[in-house]
Amino acid sequence: MFIYGLVVQLSFLVFFFRMSRYFRISDSVNRDYYDIFVNGLVIFYLLMVVPFVVALWVQVYKGVWRLDIGKISKIIMMVLFVLMTLVVAFFGFYAHILFYYGFAP
């Protein structure tokens, strides 16, 4: 997971700086490049977050099923944890877009 994270982060930075450089040196505004930029941000967010969230779910699942509590309590804990991480990932997506897209409308 460490190598995967490193590769995705570095490729995201390369993508971001190449696209940012294009927007600074371009004389005209081309809508196609904005679409490529936004689609790239969405894809890289999913590549950065989804594997780590799934790995987190697996580790929490292993830990919860080792607890000495009832089966229903374990299921409730897992459902609540999955919902909480989905909500955090959802808001993280919008923060990611806002910070890297530049708070543009």
Side-chain angles (χ1 to χ4, degrees):
M1 287 301 275
F2 176 76
I3 293 173
Y4 173 81
L6 188 64
V7 168
V8 170
Q9 289 287 338
L10 290 176
S11 60
F12 170 72
L13 290 174
V14 168
F15 165 78
F16 181 72
F17 287 119
R18 282 189 142 184
M19 289 301 292
S20 296
R21 186 174 53 87
Y22 171 77
F23 289 126
R24 277 186 246 138
I25 63 173
S26 177
D27 293 334
S28 65
V29 176
N30 189 346
R31 189 69 185 160
D32 294 334
Y33 286 104
Y34 283 107
D35 293 338
I36 292 170
F37 185 64
V38 172
N39 291 337
L41 289 178
V42 171
I43 289 168
F44 275 111
Y45 180 79
L46 293 175
L47 287 174
M48 286 187 280
V49 171
V50 170
F52 294 113
V53 169
V54 171
L56 180 65
W57 288 347
V58 169
Q59 293 301 317
V60 169
Y61 173 79
K62 289 178 183 178
V64 166
W65 285 102
R66 290 183 192 149
L67 296 174
D68 292 329
I69 56 176
K71 186 175 181 179
I72 299 298
S73 298
K74 292 177 185 180
I75 292 171
I76 291 171
M77 287 174 68
M78 280 306 301
V79 168
L80 289 175
F81 183 74
V82 167
L83 289 175
M84 182 187 71
T85 54
L86 288 175
V87 168
V88 169
F90 178 77
F91 286 117
F93 171 74
Y94 283 103
H96 174 77
I97 294 297
L98 286 175
F99 284 112
Y100 287 108
Y101 193 51
F103 293 98

